[in-house]
Amino acid sequence: MNLHSINFGKKERVLNYACQTYQLSRPNKVGAVMSLIRKCQPASFEEWKKWYFENAFTDSKKPIKITSETLNELGERLYSKITEIVIPEWEAAFRELTLQDCIDYIYNLTINRTYDGYVREKSVVNDGLAKIFTDVIFEESDPELDHAGDIDYIAKINKHAIGIQIKPVTASANFGSYSLTERMKASFKSFQEQFGGKVFIVFSLKGEIANKEIIDEIRSEINRIKEL
């Protein structure tokens, strides 16, 4: 198999970090690329490249045609973010970093954040979803299941179920533009095939549901499942 991906070596981490931080490779910037390539079904790299520039539009309220210049501009923005913001911030962090910071970070990540996440999940489900959908049984996902890492709770409706993943708002500064990884998409698809219901991402802010619109989406899915 002849692969075309470029190896950026040590630069990969900083490029990846900045690109994700400033959301320069999201569908609203470069289009829904995996969906596009599946529509194309290219037999060669050149066929895919040609088809992409002929058919790709930004996945936004007002779709914009994507051109080679569009990608060049995104690359220029990435360079600007790295040189003007990322590098100065990292250099300052490197100068100020201490051994105690590293020790405290590991403790905080392992103990503090785990507890905060646990409490946040409980609050969103027990004080939020369970009180809204009183006829649905919410249970923590079985850690032995293949999808457990991507699904925190299972909401049982008759013989079927929907999945709930809970994320702090900080997981996405703009949760409306949050995009799933390919692994998560596969996990969610596997769950739906097994349980019959979709998986929903609920964003938590101080233990409350931040993306309120998800409630109506969950309600519609519950009603659909009840009719099965």
Side-chain angles (χ1 to χ4, degrees):
M1 181 171 60
N2 185 22
L3 299 179
H4 294 79
S5 297
I6 299 172
N7 183 352
F8 291 94
K10 295 179 180 179
K11 301 175 186 177
E12 185 84 33
R13 290 184 181 179
V14 66
L15 289 166
N16 185 57
Y17 168 82
C19 194
Q20 289 192 21
T21 298
Y22 298 103
Q23 303 180 6
L24 299 179
S25 59
R26 293 289 178 87
N28 64 339
K29 296 289 195 304
V30 298
V33 291
M34 290 308 298
S35 175
L36 286 167
I37 199 168
R38 287 180 181 130
K39 288 180 182 178
C40 175
Q41 293 291 311
S44 68
F45 173 75
E46 290 303 324
E47 180 185 348
W48 156 239
K49 183 178 178 180
K50 181 175 182 293
W51 195 93
Y52 173 80
F53 284 119
E54 289 175 351
N55 296 275
F57 284 81
T58 58
D59 186 6
S60 51
K61 290 183 179 179
K62 294 182 179 180
I64 299 172
K65 182 76 171 64
I66 298 172
T67 65
S68 180
E69 288 72 25
T70 304
L71 299 190
N72 286 344
E73 181 184 346
L74 289 171
E76 291 170 359
R77 290 172 62 184
L78 177 60
Y79 180 77
S80 176
K81 294 294 185 183
I82 290 173
T83 56
E84 296 176 14
I85 301 176
V86 175
I87 291 177
E89 285 183 348
W90 282 12
E91 287 178 340
F94 294 153
R95 288 193 302 268
E96 299 166 8
L97 190 66
T98 67
L99 171 60
Q100 192 59 48
D101 288 332
C102 296
I103 294 171
D104 291 343
Y105 179 82
I106 292 297
Y107 270 83
N108 186 63
L109 186 65
T110 307
I111 307 298
N112 303 36
R113 289 189 183 180
T114 300
Y115 180 79
D116 288 349
Y118 174 78
V119 172
R120 183 171 54 243
E121 286 182 5
K122 288 286 188 183
S123 179
V124 165
V125 174
N126 296 338
D127 298 329
L129 296 175
K131 290 185 178 180
I132 296 171
F133 305 106
T134 55
D135 57 342
V136 175
I137 300 173
F138 290 89
E139 295 181 353
E140 293 181 10
S141 182
D142 186 342
E144 298 300 319
L145 295 176
D146 291 339
H147 56 254
D150 295 316
I151 297 167
D152 300 311
Y153 279 81
I154 294 177
K156 294 184 175 180
I157 308 104
N158 301 326
K159 295 181 180 180
H160 303 282
I162 64 172
I164 302 293
Q165 185 188 71
I166 302 171
K167 285 188 173 294
V169 167
T170 52
S172 175
N174 177 11
F175 46 73
S177 66
Y178 181 81
S179 60
L180 300 177
T181 64
E182 291 303 311
R183 188 207 71 247
M184 290 168 65
K185 289 178 183 178
S187 183
F188 288 4
K189 181 180 178 182
S190 174
F191 178 92
Q192 187 166 1
E193 290 173 350
Q194 182 177 352
F195 293 96
K198 297 179 181 178
V199 178
F200 297 90
I201 298 178
V202 178
F203 283 91
S204 167
L205 179 61
K206 296 181 180 179
E208 297 185 358
I209 299 171
N211 51 333
K212 301 291 187 183
E213 68 280 0
I214 203 71
I215 295 172
D216 287 335
E217 295 178 25
I218 293 173
R219 180 177 289 110
S220 296
E221 181 67 354
I222 289 174
N223 291 336
R224 182 189 71 81
I225 292 175
K226 286 180 177 179
E227 296 175 357
L228 293 177

